[in-house]
Amino acid sequence: MTVRYLDKLFAPQSVALIGASDREGSLGAVVLRNLKMSGFKGPIWPVNATHAQVGGGQAWPDVDALPEAPDLAVICTPAPTVPALIEALGRKGTRAAIVMTAGLKQLLDPAAGQGSKTLEQAMLEAARPYLLRILGPNCIGALVSAVSLNASFAPGNALPGKLAFVTQSGALATAMLDWASSRGIGFSHFISLGDSADVDFGDVLDYLGSDPNTRAILMYMESVKAARKFMSAARAAARNKPVILVKAGRAPEGAKAAASHTGALAGSDLVFDAAVQRAGMLRVDTLESLFDAAETLSHLHADWAPRGAGAQHRLAILTNGGGAGVLAADALALGGGQLAELRADTRQALDACLPPTWSGANPVDIIGDAPVARYQDALRVLLAAPEVDGVLFMHAPTAIVPASQIASACLPLMQASTKTVLACWLGGQVVAAARKATTAAGLAGYDTPEHAVAAWLQMASYARNQRALQQLASDTPQDFVPDRAAAQALLQQARQDGREWLGDAPTQALLQAYGLPTVPTVKTANVDEALAAARRIGYPVALKVISPQVVHKTDVGGVALGLKSDAELRAAAINMQAQLNKHLPQAVLSGYTVQAMAERPGAHELIVGISTDPVFGPVLLLGEGGTAVELHASHAVALPPLNNELARDLVERSGLSRLLAGYRGRPPADMAALLSSLLKVSQLACDLGGVAELDINPLLVDSNGALAVDARARLHRGDEGAGKRLAISPYPADLEERVSLGVVQLLLRPIRPDDGQRLKAFYAHASPADMRLRFFMARREVPHSELARYSQIDYDREMTFIALAPLASGEQAMVGEVRAACDPDNIKAEFAIQVATSWQGRGLGRLLLSKLIAYLRARGTQEIVGECLPENTALASLARHAGFEITPAPPDGNLALRLLLR
C-alpha cells in the first residue's frame, strides 16, 4: 500500500482519541489538549473506558460506542491493547490511525496460542482486512497546518508554512519543532514516522509530492525499509519539488564484513549517496542545513540545472573587499566547487569599467571605494560572460556609498538575470536594509562568505542530481546480446558443487558471456596440466593457485606473473605450495589457473565490480584498481541499471576523468570501451540475481580499449531471481514483441531512456492537429523536461509501449506510442495514445492499445481511464472497440474513457 487512505491520516474530518485522559502529564491528556488547541474544525471524540467525561466534555467507553466511524483514530493506550483496538476501528469503518504507543516489538502472550508473533505483527494483521493505514507505532504523531490538526504530543503547535518535515526520530521531532518555531519557520506537515510499521518514507513522499500546500520536503532518516518503493516515490516527488534530507550513520558498516574489494569500497553510506543522486534529491550534513537548503533552492532558476561545464558549476565572485573574496574562494575550493576562469574578452570588459588596481581575475575585487555605477557595470559583465554560471555578489559596508543604495541599483539586474545570483551583505545593522530589500526582491541573501558559498554548493549538488532526471540519454546501439543461458549454467554448476566463489576460469567465462574482453584462461588440476595449458596459450603466462579457502591470492603468494618457460612455471607452482602451507596451512590446493599475460604497457588499472547492499541490492563500483585498490581515494558507486549518460556520470564522480583523458604524452583512454564495459556489468547485475559480488581488478583501459585481466565472483547462498533485489526496476526486455502490419514488420517494446531523441523527432513530425488532440492544446514542441520525463519512466509504476518501424538507412523510427501512469496503489491507470500521421488508419493504434490493456490486466490494475476531445472521433472509436465506456465529462465537454479490467 502507498497513498491509499493517507488523506484520512493527514486531512481527516473527524478524530477519535483512544486513551484520552484528564490525568495531568499523561499522554492522553497532552494529545487531547493539543487536538483542542490546534483549532481543528471537525469533531474530536475522546474514548475512555472508565470515565463518561474527559476534558470537560463527553467521552465514549469504546470504539463501538462512537457516534460514527472517525476518519482518524489516535491511540495512546498500552501496547497489548493495540491489536484489538485496530481490529475494532477497522470494523467500525476507520481507515487511518496514529499509534503513539511504544513497546509493540514484544511478543504476544504464548498462552494465547500466538506463537512467536509480536504485537506489531498482530496489529498489522488486524489492519490488513480493512486496508487501515497506521502511522507509527512509537511516534510523536502528525501536525498538518492546512486542516489545523495537531495530533501529537509535541510541546506546542507548528507555525503554518510550505515546508514538510518528516522524521524517524521522536526526540528529534520535538526539538526541531521548537527550534523552527523560534526562528519563524512554518510547516505544511510535520510527521513523525516512529517505527514505520506501515506508513514509511515512500508512502509519505508519494503523498507530499503531489500536495499543493507543500513547497519542499525535508527528511531526517535513519534507515530505509522498502528500497524499490522508496526510490520510486523519491524520483516522482523530486520531479515536482525539492526533496532534501539528512541521514544519520555515515560509517560504512557494510564494508567491515565485505569479502571482496568492491564490497569493502561500496560502504553503505556511499550507496545511500548514490541512491540520493539517482533520485534527484539533495543530501545535507546537518539539520540546520535542511532549512538553509530549502530556502536556497526556492531561489533556484528553473532552467539552471542544465548549466555548467561537466560535473561542476562555475561561480564568479564579485566583491568590494579582497579578504572577503579570498574567504569565499577558499570555501568554494574546499567544498569541491569551481571558480569561473575569466576569458580574455571578459577581463577586457572589466578593465574598461574598473580601476587599474582591480584584481584582474576571479574573485573580481572592484576595490573598497567603488561607487554604485562600478557595481552595476561589473555585475553586467559577469552576468553576460558565457563562462560564468552564477555570481556571488558580496558587499562590505563602507562610508562611500550606503549599502541600501547599492542594493537598489543592483537588485533589478540580479532579478532580470537568467543566471543564479547570490547576495552576501557583510555586517550588521548597517546592511540590514539591503538584506531586507534582497529578501523582498525574491533573491537569496546571506551574511557571510562561507554561508553563501555553502548555498552555492548545495545548488550545484542539487542541480547535478536533478540532471539525472532531466537528461535525454543518447541512442546507444545495443551492440551485444549477452548469453544469459551460458551465464546461468555457470552459476548453477557452482551451486551444485557447493562453491560460494565461482573460480577464475568460470568467472572469465561469465564475463565472456556478457561480451567483456578477457584474456585466455584455463583451469588445471595439477602442475603437468598447467604446463600443457601454458604451452597451448603460449608463454609468457600467469599462474594462480586454486583453493576453496583462498579469496585474495596475492595475500598467500598464490600469484606468479610473467612466467617465460616450463622451468619457471614449475618453480612457481612449487613455491606456491610452500607459501600456501606457510600462510594458510588449512587450505586445500585443488589446482592452478593459467592465463595469458596481458601485454598492455601504460594501461590504466581500474576496478569495476558489483556489490550487494543489504537495503538497495546490487550496486556498481568504479575506481582505481591494482593490488592497493582499497588505498585509492578515486572510486564511486551507482545503482543499476545504467544507461550511457549514467555510466559517464559514474566515471566523472569516480575522479578518473582527468587521469583517463591523457597526460604528459600518454594518449587518452578509449572512453567508449570503458562505458561499454560499465553497461555490460550493469546488465549482468540486472540479469543475474545470483551474483552477490564481482571484482574485475584490474580492468586494463588504454587507447586500445578495455581488457578484464583478473576477476572473481561470489554467489548468493540462495538463488536470487533476476531483478528481484534491484532498487530501480530494470528494462523489461521480455515485453518486446515483433508484429507484422501489412508488409512492414514493427517492433513493439517498452520505451527506454535512450529513446528521448526518437520521441522528440516523433512529436516534431506530428501535425498541429495531432498535437492538439494528444495534449489538448496547440503546441509546436514538447519541452526538454517533458521529453526526459516521458522517456525515463519508472517501470514499477508506468508503462509506455512504442512502435518502431525500419527505415531504409537501417535505423528505426518511432511511429506510435501508448502510455499509462498507474496510481501508487495500482488501482487506476491513466492512458494516452498517439500514432504518427502517416500510420493512422492502418491498425497500429489497435495493436498498441491491446498490448497496453493486456499488460495492465496482467499486473492487476483494476481500471483504465482517459479523456479525449469531442472531435477526436478516431480515439473514441478505438476505445469503444476495446470495450471502454465513453461518457461526457463536464464541465469542459470532453469525453471520459473508462475500462474496468476483470
Side-chain angles (χ1 to χ4, degrees):
M1 292 188 290
T2 49
V3 298
R4 190 182 300 179
Y5 296 133
L6 290 192
D7 58 329
K8 305 295 185 184
L9 180 60
F10 298 126
Q13 300 297 308
S14 57
V15 179
L17 175 59
I18 302 174
S21 174
D22 281 330
R23 182 164 53 85
E24 188 62 31
S26 68
L27 181 60
V30 172
V31 177
L32 182 59
R33 182 171 62 248
N34 280 348
L35 280 168
K36 288 185 172 182
M37 293 181 64
S38 65
F40 182 67
K41 301 297 190 297
I44 299 171
W45 296 316
V47 176
N48 187 295
T50 58
H51 295 83
Q53 284 201 332
V54 174
Q58 180 183 359
W60 284 261
D62 53 37
V63 171
D64 291 335
L66 290 172
E68 59 184 85
D71 280 352
L72 172 65
V74 182
I75 299 177
C76 304
T77 57
T81 67
V82 172
L85 287 170
I86 290 294
E87 201 282 330
L89 286 164
R91 193 173 60 247
K92 183 78 172 179
T94 298
R95 294 296 175 259
I98 299 175
V99 179
M100 297 180 176
T101 310
L104 272 80
K105 298 295 185 183
Q106 62 183 295
L107 295 177
L108 286 167
D109 182 2
Q114 298 290 334
S116 59
K117 187 185 300 182
T118 65
L119 289 168
E120 183 176 286
Q121 290 171 320
M123 175 190 73
L124 294 174
E125 288 178 5
R128 192 169 294 120
Y130 308 104
L131 303 179
L132 191 153
R133 307 308 307 275
I134 297 172
L135 181 65
N138 189 25
C139 71
I140 297 296
L143 301 90
V144 184
S145 61
V147 293
S148 301
L149 176 71
N150 183 353
S152 79
F153 59 90
N157 207 356
L159 297 174
K162 291 292 186 180
L163 301 179
F165 183 76
V166 187
T167 175
Q168 280 179 304
S169 167
L172 187 64
T174 57
M176 287 306 298
L177 189 60
D178 182 57
W179 181 90
S181 296
S182 68
R183 287 160 175 78
I185 298 172
F187 299 95
S188 64
H189 297 74
F190 197 97
I191 302 168
S192 166
L193 292 178
D195 292 340
S196 304
D198 173 29
V199 176
D200 61 11
F201 280 111
D203 301 325
V204 174
L205 280 169
D206 269 324
Y207 182 84
L208 296 175
S210 57
D211 176 53
N213 297 312
T214 299
R215 176 172 55 83
I217 303 170
L218 315 182
M219 301 189 295
Y220 169 79
M221 303 183 66
E222 294 175 354
S223 62
V224 174
K225 290 185 177 179
R228 183 173 284 190
K229 182 175 77 168
F230 172 75
M231 289 299 292
S232 290
R235 294 169 77 194
R239 290 184 185 277
N240 295 334
K241 60 196 65 173
V243 180
I244 310 160
L245 62 93
V246 165
K247 182 181 180 295
R250 286 191 169 273
E253 301 90 347
K256 295 178 183 177
S260 68
H261 293 304
T262 299
L265 293 173
S268 60
D269 198 62
L270 279 178
V271 175
F272 185 80
D273 269 345
V276 168
Q277 292 160 4
R278 186 67 175 270
M281 301 183 290
L282 174 66
R283 183 180 184 182
V284 295
D285 295 331
T286 66
L287 290 167
E288 190 169 2
S289 296
L290 275 177
F291 298 98
D292 285 348
E295 177 64 19
T296 295
L297 296 184
S298 69
H299 300 291
L300 188 65
H301 283 291
D303 64 344
W304 187 74
R307 290 181 179 272
Q312 297 295 330
H313 293 265
R314 302 160 297 182
L315 180 67
I317 300 171
L318 175 64
T319 177
N320 70 333
V326 171
L327 288 174
D330 285 349
L332 186 67
L334 291 171
Q338 182 178 353
L339 273 176
E341 186 174 342
L342 301 182
R343 301 191 326 186
D345 55 342
T346 300
R347 292 196 302 272
Q348 290 173 1
L350 290 170
D351 285 338
C353 63
L354 298 180
T357 53
W358 80 281
S359 60
N362 187 16
V364 178
D365 182 1
I366 63 174
I367 315 301
D369 65 351
V372 171
R374 193 184 299 170
Y375 279 95
Q376 291 176 300
D377 293 341
L379 182 59
R380 287 191 185 99
V381 171
L382 293 177
L383 292 176
E387 71 273 25
V388 172
D389 300 308
V391 176
L392 170 55
F393 178 96
M394 294 198 299
H395 170 76
T398 70
I400 306 298
V401 183
S404 58
Q405 290 186 20
I406 296 170
S408 297
C410 294
L411 289 177
L413 296 177
M414 301 180 196
Q415 286 178 300
S417 174
T418 58
K419 296 179 180 179
T420 297
V421 184
L422 310 182
C424 177
W425 304 98
L426 299 165
Q429 191 59 38
V430 177
V431 296
R435 282 204 190 105
K436 186 176 181 181
T438 302
T439 301
L443 296 167
Y446 305 91
D447 52 4
T448 68
E450 295 83 0
H451 198 181
V453 169
W456 172 263
L457 293 172
Q458 286 177 344
M459 286 183 169
S461 179
Y462 178 68
R464 283 194 297 272
N465 295 351
Q466 280 283 301
R467 199 158 40 222
L469 297 178
Q470 300 296 330
Q471 52 96 3
L472 288 182
S474 60
D475 183 10
T476 308
Q478 301 298 305
D479 55 356
F480 82 103
V481 177
D483 189 345
R484 295 181 177 90
Q488 289 286 9
L490 291 166
L491 304 190
Q492 185 61 33
Q493 185 61 55
R495 290 192 194 94
Q496 290 176 0
D497 296 343
R499 289 183 282 121
E500 181 182 6
W501 291 89
L502 197 55
D504 291 336
T507 302
Q508 293 286 329
L510 177 69
L511 299 184
Q512 292 167 11
Y514 274 79
L516 287 151
T518 62
V519 295
T521 303
V522 178
K523 178 183 177 181
T524 63
N526 51 51
V527 175
D528 289 338
E529 287 187 13
L531 289 168
R535 294 177 195 129
R536 288 196 306 271
I537 292 173
Y539 289 104
V541 297
L543 186 70
K544 300 176 183 179
V545 70
I546 299 176
S547 171
Q549 291 78 31
V550 176
V551 176
H552 299 297
K553 300 176 182 63
T554 53
D555 294 346
V556 295
V559 177
L561 304 176
L563 304 177
K564 299 182 178 65
S565 65
D566 285 4
E568 288 187 12
L569 189 147
R570 189 179 296 277
I574 294 171
N575 181 60
M576 283 181 188
Q577 177 73 75
Q579 292 294 317
L580 193 61
N581 292 337
K582 175 182 177 181
H583 294 289
L584 204 64
Q586 73 275 21
V588 176
L589 177 62
S590 54
Y592 301 92
T593 298
V594 182
Q595 283 185 309
M597 285 297 297
E599 302 294 341
R600 301 283 283 267
H604 300 282
E605 290 191 354
L606 307 184
I607 179 173
V608 174
I610 300 170
S611 179
T612 301
D613 183 79
V615 175
F616 290 96
V619 180
L620 304 179
L621 176 132
L622 169 67
E624 287 190 76
T627 56
V629 58
E630 291 174 22
L631 301 180
H632 297 312
S634 297
H635 63 272
V637 299
L639 301 182
L642 297 185
N643 59 36
N644 207 53
E645 269 63 34
L646 291 171
R648 192 178 299 278
D649 177 70
L650 178 59
V651 177
E652 286 286 341
R653 290 189 289 106
S654 72
L656 295 172
S657 293
R658 293 179 65 184
L659 183 70
L660 299 174
Y663 58 93
R664 294 184 179 178
R666 195 174 188 177
D670 185 345
M671 186 60 68
L674 175 57
L675 296 180
S676 175
S677 298
L678 291 173
L679 292 175
K680 291 170 181 176
V681 173
S682 169
Q683 189 64 55
L684 189 154
C686 293
D687 291 347
L688 305 180
V691 175
E693 295 181 25
L694 171 68
D695 274 355
I696 305 175
N697 181 28
L699 178 75
L700 299 182
V701 179
D702 57 17
S703 58
N704 295 315
L707 180 67
V709 175
D710 196 8
R712 61 177 61 89
R714 184 174 69 84
L715 309 185
H716 285 291
R717 295 191 183 277
D719 185 15
E720 300 276 336
K724 281 184 181 178
R725 302 197 65 203
L726 292 167
I728 299 173
S729 186
Y731 174 75
D734 58 309
L735 295 176
E736 293 183 352
E737 176 187 6
R738 293 194 178 274
V739 298
S740 294
L741 200 61
V743 296
V744 181
Q745 188 178 66
L746 301 176
L747 174 61
L748 304 186
R749 64 162 173 81
I751 200 166
R752 298 193 305 243
D754 55 20
D755 288 315
Q757 296 300 334
R758 282 196 182 99
L759 190 63
K760 182 178 182 179
F762 175 70
Y763 290 142
H765 289 97
S767 69
D770 285 347
M771 291 293 282
R772 180 176 178 276
L773 293 178
R774 169 66 174 84
F775 294 102
F776 290 35
M777 61 180 177
R779 63 191 315 180
R780 297 177 61 185
E781 62 180 19
V782 178
H784 175 96
S785 59
E786 284 189 48
L787 289 170
R789 177 69 188 87
Y790 292 159
S791 57
Q792 298 179 52
I793 67 171
D794 183 343
Y795 299 115
D796 263 7
R797 299 185 173 192
E798 307 166 77
M799 181 50 67
T800 298
F801 291 113
I802 62 173
L804 298 177
L807 298 176
S809 63
E811 300 293 319
Q812 292 178 315
M814 181 174 161
V815 295
E817 64 156 344
V818 62
R819 60 180 62 242
C822 298
D823 64 55
D825 299 301
N826 196 31
I827 302 297
K828 183 184 297 185
E830 295 186 22
F831 89 100
I833 188 169
Q834 184 171 353
V835 174
T837 306
S838 60
W839 281 82
Q840 292 173 12
R842 299 167 63 175
L844 179 56
R846 178 179 51 80
L847 283 174
L848 286 169
L849 186 56
S850 297
K851 188 172 181 67
L852 180 70
I853 292 172
Y855 167 78
L856 292 173
R857 181 175 280 117
R859 82 188 301 266
T861 309
Q862 299 178 23
E863 184 179 359
I864 307 176
V865 298
E867 193 173 341
C868 72
L869 296 174
E871 60 265 36
N872 196 347
T873 55
L875 178 54
S877 176
L878 176 66
R880 189 176 291 108
H881 183 269
F884 280 77
E885 173 188 322
I886 302 175
T887 58
D892 52 23
N894 294 337
L895 298 178
L897 316 176
R898 181 171 180 262
L899 175 65
L900 295 178
L901 299 176
R902 296 186 175 91

